[in-house]
Amino acid sequence: MGAAVTPAMYDAHLLSASAAAKLIQSGELTVEHYVEALLQRIDERDEDVKAWAFLDRDQVLANARALDALTADQRGPLHGVVIGVKDVIYTKDMPTEFNSPIYKGHFPQVDAASIAILRASGALFLGKTVTTEFAATANGPGTFNPHDITRTPGGSSAGSGAAVGDFQVPVALGTQTGGSTIRPAAYCGIYGFKPTWGAVSREGQKFFSLTFDTLGIFSRHVDDLTMMTDAFKITDDQPSSFQSLEGARFALIKSMLWPAAEPATRDALARGAELLRSHGAIVEEIELPKSFDKLPQWYNVVLDMEGSKAFLPEYSSAVEQLDSLMVGYVENKSKYTQRQYVEALDNMAALRPQFDALVNGYDAVLTPSTPDEAPVGTDTGSYLFCKIWTGLHVPVVNIPGFGGPNNMPVGLSLVAPRYHDRHLLSVTSHVGPLFEAEGGWERPVHGPTTHREANGHDRENGNGSGHGNGNGNGHL
């Protein structure tokens, strides 16, 4: 199968996407051997992590061999980059089921805009990653945190965060309506990037909220985020001039939600600010003006009202198979009015330029990602700190490096004004290595425990899908 084994192929699953792409380009590694290394990692670990909703080994290996057969002039900028795809994003060669019984076996046979862009750039899609139902519920979808399988990986992009955190794939796509990229990234100890709202086309994604839904990217390395951002042609009006932490200016914003922060997050934020200052940066704590106090409430109004429209098709055709949360949205159990919806939209729109102006003199904002480390159990955890940034449409990056009392990762976020995405990644390329090197938490390379070791028996897959469809192909 493919070329002779070289040293670069050993532990290839540990490579970043950008490092693997360079080895493939140089001929030291084939796409086929790289995919085989990832599949071997999945064989070893996914019985416990359960990150994949769909993975067709024969198809993936055939696609890898096809990429290897391309001549140099036929290869795209993402040639050989392997990506996992959250199962709310349409893929023409894999089913898209939204973790819903309503769409069991659903095969749209069309690519979402994001998938079409990446496919044309030479990327290889490894499979579909597990999501909560319609990327909407807080119920664990049967995926577990790779660093402690008694804990949640977060949601709704549970599979994407867990697969990247467990070295099963270097990059994965997710979505964010509230905190569905930043929260799993924080819980799984990896980078998560939510670009500016609208910076990447959402055509071909299942909508929850037209006002909030954004494509997200997971990786273990900042370079991979930059590579993906290049593929999506996300640009700033002016190139970033950021070059060093020495003299850089950061705003520390705890926000109106700070009382919800647990000691692990409070310690991480203090330690993050201390590290930045120790490397020559200026960190100034600032407060959001009082006009922002109702932002979380306005976010809730918009989410509920837009959810009522998003899930009406399923409510109308198969309400008995729809989670009660979505039923509640459609039936407007929160009893919000159209007037409240319009006021919330208008008030949030007015806050966005105010926030951009408030932080314009800083290189980035340092802020919590989540209230705490990943909780035990199947609940996907709190997205409380994420939703204000989602509502403001700004770009956000979760940075790993800190740990909680149970040696679970605790992330911090960097935030920038809208359409300063490339600048934010430039800042992250300096802050990220610092936090990872000196924050105190190191990402384990090998899984900590199995379900048998943790519980005394094998745990069943909680979502009833993703493993064993009886044909030895399709689902893992």
Side-chain angles (χ1 to χ4, degrees), residues 43 48 94 113 127 132 137 145 156-157 171 173 176 229 251 261 264 286 322 396 464:
D43 286 343
D48 295 307
M94 295 181 282
T132 63
T137 70
N145 194 299
S156 59
S157 305
V171 173
L173 300 182
Q176 179 153 314
T229 304
I286 65 173
L322 192 62
V396 187

Side-chain angles (χ1 to χ4, degrees), residues 198-422:
V200 180
S201 172
R202 300 172 297 167
E203 180 184 356
Q205 293 174 210
K206 174 61 179 175
F207 276 108
F208 185 162
S209 167
L210 287 170
T211 301
F212 300 141
D213 284 2
T214 312
L215 188 82
I217 306 168
F218 296 90
S219 75
R220 297 186 302 272
H221 296 269
V222 184
D223 287 350
D224 293 355
L225 296 180
T226 301
M227 178 176 61
M228 295 289 286
T229 304
D230 287 342
F232 287 128
K233 300 192 184 304
I234 300 174
T235 60
D236 298 354
D237 283 343
Q238 300 294 331
S240 176
S241 59
F242 191 88
Q243 295 183 341
S244 171
L245 291 176
E246 184 71 35
R249 299 186 71 235
F250 291 85
L252 188 153
I253 297 182
K254 296 176 178 177
S255 86
M256 74 293 288
L257 303 171
W258 183 243
E262 297 293 339
T265 289
R266 292 173 180 262
D267 291 347
L269 190 63
R271 177 63 175 153
E274 176 188 339
L275 285 175
L276 291 174
R277 291 185 179 114
S278 71
H279 285 74
I282 300 164
V283 181
E284 299 174 353
E285 183 174 349
I286 65 173
E287 293 186 2
L288 294 173
K290 287 291 185 182
S291 57
F292 285 73
D293 284 355
K294 291 186 178 180
L295 178 56
Q297 177 184 334
W298 292 329
Y299 169 92
N300 292 340
V301 173
V302 173
L303 183 73
D304 279 27
M305 293 297 283
E306 294 188 345
S308 71
K309 305 297 187 293
F311 303 118
L312 181 58
E314 291 76 23
Y315 179 91
S316 301
S317 61
V319 65
E320 71 283 353
Q321 295 180 284
L322 192 62
D323 186 273
S324 60
L325 180 70
M326 278 77 85
V327 172
Y329 285 137
V330 176
E331 295 179 351
N332 191 18
K333 291 186 177 179
S334 298
K335 304 303 179 186
Y336 292 128
T337 65
Q338 299 292 351
R339 179 176 180 177
Q340 288 175 304
Y341 174 56
V342 171
E343 288 177 348
L345 285 173
D346 291 348
N347 286 323
M348 293 179 77
L351 291 181
R352 292 177 190 129
Q354 292 181 38
F355 177 78
D356 292 347
L358 177 68
V359 301
N360 188 51
Y362 296 95
D363 289 294
V365 173
L366 181 69
T367 193
S369 291
T370 59
D372 201 358
E373 60 187 2
V376 173
T378 59
D379 185 279
T380 57
S382 172
Y383 67 99
L384 196 63
F385 283 106
C386 304
K387 67 184 186 179
I388 59 174
W389 312 120
T390 303
L392 291 172
H393 289 175
V394 293
V396 187
V397 177
N398 175 75
I399 299 179
F402 304 96
N406 298 289
N407 199 32
M408 292 297 291
V410 177
L412 294 178
S413 287
L414 290 183
V415 178
R418 291 171 295 171
Y419 289 104
H420 285 64
D421 301 68
R422 304 308 296 253

